[in-house]
Amino acid sequence: MTIEEATLKTEEMTMNNGETPLFRMSLEEMGRGEQPESKDPFDWGLPGQLSVKDVAIYDKFQKEVEKRGGDFRDTVYSFGECEGEPHTLCRWLRARKFDYNDTIKMVEEATECRSLPKSENYYPDPRACLGVNVGVYIDQYPQLYSGYSKNGSPLFISKPGKLNIASIECATSLSRLLDFHWYVMMHDFGDRLRKKKAEDPDFRKFQCLTVMDLEGLSITQINSKVLGVIKEQAFVDSLCFPETMYKTLVINAPSFFAATWKIIKGFVDPRTAGKIEIISSKSKAHSRLLELVDADQLPSDYGGTDTSTIDTLMVEAVKSTPIEGLKRITSEIISIRSHGSITIELLAGEEMDVNIHGKGSGTFFSIYNINDKSKKSQIGKVNFDHSSGATADSERELPTNISLTEASGKVKGPGTFKIKGESKSRRLTSEYYLIVCNVF
């Protein structure tokens, strides 16, 4: 069918559940017609901007998607049909430069990549997925969605500079982070897109504005494990969620990041890399963000007027931890060769329970008030020994989690309390333990 022969006009086709219509455009509307080609390279491949050749490829791909149906079609419409047919199909075609065969191959590979997560419904329970309360995980790697950009894209802020990979390995296994990523993309990010679409029927570009805040990042944090996690997640995003990046702003970048960026850049395709801006100056970063995000949608610590990310993260950590009466969560990692400790202050009327996460063995833990001259432990001595071999898959094996206060009851304030770990015997190497205090 040629464009001249196409008579199909914008229409709505009811989804299988009969609830939400699928938005379509005619082939004439998909092409740019007599309009000159846009000078903005990021307009290329969008509905209404297609060349005659690209319209023909779009038409062929659309028919193949409907003909195959099933898992193939589900992969294409990963966020549901509310995105609309034109923008959904063009996302996939743009990712492969409107090469029909390459696009078909990509969808087939993405369908295979999604098969296991799909069988698990993309891990709808993040607590079960990680094997630890989400608040504990987020405390080790702060990240959150916060409002929307001016074009409707959800704003996602990640703080790799606060990432502690040793803490994460004390709380969960690195292989489970990919499961959590599927949850984030399909349930968290997907729900935000669908919510925006419900509020604004004209919202069709299902993309995300990401801020990567590298403040505090040290070169020791960029190791093979961290790069492995980044590479694995970037592969999934590139293959299964193509063209969902609106822009990524890397801010507060330290001087050594230039070399690291060359490595990371190799994980993403050139078009995607072109959407990434690296800004070292905090003031310039805030100015750039205000060009993209209204002030009331931007956290105050990033130049806006909305709630700061610090306050939001504290609230979200409590909300994601299903413990009645919880006020705040405090966590800190300690390294123990012979001994190690942290202190925490409780106000009058406050009390806390304490949990230890890790894979170490042969360590006693105690808790005492530093103003108590006897230094008598309020919990006695609690032994920590990791029980390995709980699963046949060692990469998915979870660390051990024990409560120090389960038998003795919560520690009551006021006071400043020391949580101390002591090795039973001499060690040649140190072991890491993550101490999590739930304050009520």
Side-chain angles (χ1 to χ4, degrees), residues 220-244:
T220 57
Q221 290 172 274
I222 309 297
N223 57 34
S224 60
K225 289 181 179 179
V226 172
L227 291 174
V229 171
I230 293 173
K231 184 176 182 179
E232 202 168 33
Q233 293 183 354
F235 172 78
V236 167
D237 290 348
S238 179
L239 179 64
C240 300
F241 305 100
E243 294 289 314
T244 52

Side-chain angles (χ1 to χ4, degrees), residues 26 63 67 151-152 205 225 244 259 281 343 345 356 368 375 401 408 410 413 429:
S26 72
K63 288 173 176 160
K67 177 180 141 183
N151 78 343
K205 289 185 179 180
K225 289 181 179 179
T244 52
S281 164
T343 57
E345 183 176 356
I356 307 294
Y368 61 90
K375 295 186 178 180
N401 170 25
S408 60
K410 294 183 177 69
T429 59

Side-chain angles (χ1 to χ4, degrees), residues 144 146 296 298-301 304-312 315:
L144 72 159
S146 180
D296 63 350
L298 188 64
S300 58
D301 45 339
T305 59
D306 199 8
T307 306
S308 75
T309 59
I310 296 171
D311 290 340
T312 299
V315 171

Side-chain angles (χ1 to χ4, degrees), residues 394-414:
S394 60
E395 290 188 358
R396 295 185 62 79
E397 182 182 276
L398 286 170
T400 294
N401 170 25
I402 68 168
S403 170
L404 297 187
T405 51
E406 183 176 19
S408 60
K410 294 183 177 69
V411 176
K412 300 182 185 300

Side-chain angles (χ1 to χ4, degrees), residues 254-270:
S255 57
F256 70 82
F257 182 72
T260 304
W261 169 236
K262 289 181 181 179
I263 299 173
I264 298 175
K265 197 173 182 180
F267 301 158
V268 296
D269 63 79

Side-chain angles (χ1 to χ4, degrees), residues 58-73:
Y58 171 90
D59 183 40
K60 186 178 180 181
F61 182 48
Q62 187 273 339
K63 288 173 176 160
E64 185 66 16
V65 170
E66 296 304 320
K67 177 180 141 183
R68 293 202 189 192
D71 288 341
F72 187 91
R73 191 177 189 279

Side-chain angles (χ1 to χ4, degrees), residues 31 40 68 98 107 130 150 165 182 210 241 254 285 291-292 306 360 366 376 390 406 414 438:
D40 186 344
R68 293 202 189 192
F98 273 74
V107 178
L130 287 169
K150 291 179 180 179
I165 197 68
W182 280 106
T210 299
F241 305 100
E291 292 175 7
L292 301 170
D306 199 8
S366 58
K376 181 181 178 180
E406 183 176 19
N438 297 315

Side-chain angles (χ1 to χ4, degrees), residues 6 46 53 55-56 66 94 99-100 162 201 212-213 230 240-241 257 309 311 328 337 349 374 382 385 406 408:
L46 292 176
K53 178 182 176 183
V55 169
E66 296 304 320
R94 285 200 308 275
D99 184 299
Y100 174 79
K162 307 295 184 184
M212 301 286 286
D213 186 352
I230 293 173
C240 300
F241 305 100
F257 182 72
T309 59
D311 290 340
R328 67 180 185 274
R337 185 173 179 185
S374 70
V382 179
D385 278 309
E406 183 176 19
S408 60

